[in-house]
Amino acid sequence: VRLAHQGTDVAALPLSALVPAKTSEVEKPKTKMIITSRRDYPLTKSFPCSLEHLQASYCRLARIDTRVLCLKKLRKLDLSHNHIKQLPATIGELVFLQELNLHDNHLESFSSALCSSTLQKSLQCLDLSQNKIKALPIQFCQLRELVNLKLDDNELIRLPFKMGQLDRLRFLSAARNKLPFLPSDFRKLCLENLDLFGNPFEQPNPLLPNIQLKIPLTLLECAARATVNYRIPYGCQLLPSHLCEDLEVAKTCQCGSACLSSFIQLTVTMNLHHVAHTVVLVDNMGGTEAPIICYFCSLGCYSQFLDRYLQSSADH
């Protein structure tokens, strides 16, 4: 360019022939990175921003690296076998994240903020096994795209109340927890594989119900039941937020009606084959049955159930 600028004849310029670069010499954007030891973890170098799959296992991480949370193309994030205690809400900003593996960490909770984030639309596989989680938030069932959920080896004393909303869920394992029974909504699931082995399930006794029924019903209970039964629109702009939260977790009686804080509760036996094609045995005795909660909105509904239960017991 300099010679041409100085007036040299363009035809006489000493130009070397350009050789195209070989494919092997051109570095493609890196989409996958697997780190399996603390020694290999990049402390000074940044992660390639083109990463779609990142595994950082056995790195003794106590928290999630903020540099990882900037990898906006991530589809699969595997942070298993670390020491992570808390999940930052900013994981919810990874808009393409489909798989999140947190197996064998020190988690004690899964935040409701994550359940309300963009993970609602992207997350399909979640592995929270081998942590210290006692309960999942009510909002957990907003993760409606979940197909595979692993909760084994935690300290769960209950499963999410609105479990039936996870209508895409096909694989669920919650073995070796502390579950005494399953939520009523569990009946709505349609699974391919279910594993609940090693939970201390209670023996159901429909003749010993937990009666929370207040007669006559309070005005609040009547209004709440009507709001749910007649599908009257409500929201925080119309009602105090605590009332909205109560309505979100309204229980459903066997007759289909709603009840809020006035009900009769008991557990009955359910064969898990009703909700799953393949069931891992619940105990060493070969059982595939587990207790599930039932609610009744009135003495009438409970007595009808009791009549059917006693009749079927007599037939057997």
Side-chain angles (χ1 to χ4, degrees), residues 85-87 106-111 132-137:
K85 288 185 178 179
Q86 265 189 323
L87 299 176
H106 298 170
L107 293 173
E108 293 179 6
S109 63
F110 190 87
S111 82
K132 299 175 182 178
I133 300 170
K134 290 184 172 64
L136 293 166

Side-chain angles (χ1 to χ4, degrees), residues 97-101 110 114-115 118-128 136-137 139-151 160 162-172 189-192:
L97 195 65
Q98 295 174 346
E99 295 182 38
L100 178 58
N101 186 347
F110 190 87
L114 285 179
C115 305
T118 56
L119 293 182
Q120 285 183 10
K121 294 176 180 173
S122 64
L123 197 62
Q124 296 173 16
C125 298
L126 177 60
D127 190 343
L128 295 173
L136 293 166
Q139 297 87 343
F140 186 84
C141 298
Q142 293 174 2
L143 299 172
R144 300 286 287 268
E145 296 298 312
L146 276 181
V147 175
N148 193 334
L149 175 59
K150 293 182 180 179
L151 301 168
K162 291 282 188 182
M163 199 84 190
Q165 289 182 351
L166 299 175
D167 46 19
R168 290 179 182 264
L169 195 65
R170 294 295 174 265
F171 303 89
L172 171 62
L189 292 176
C190 185
L191 305 169
E192 287 179 29

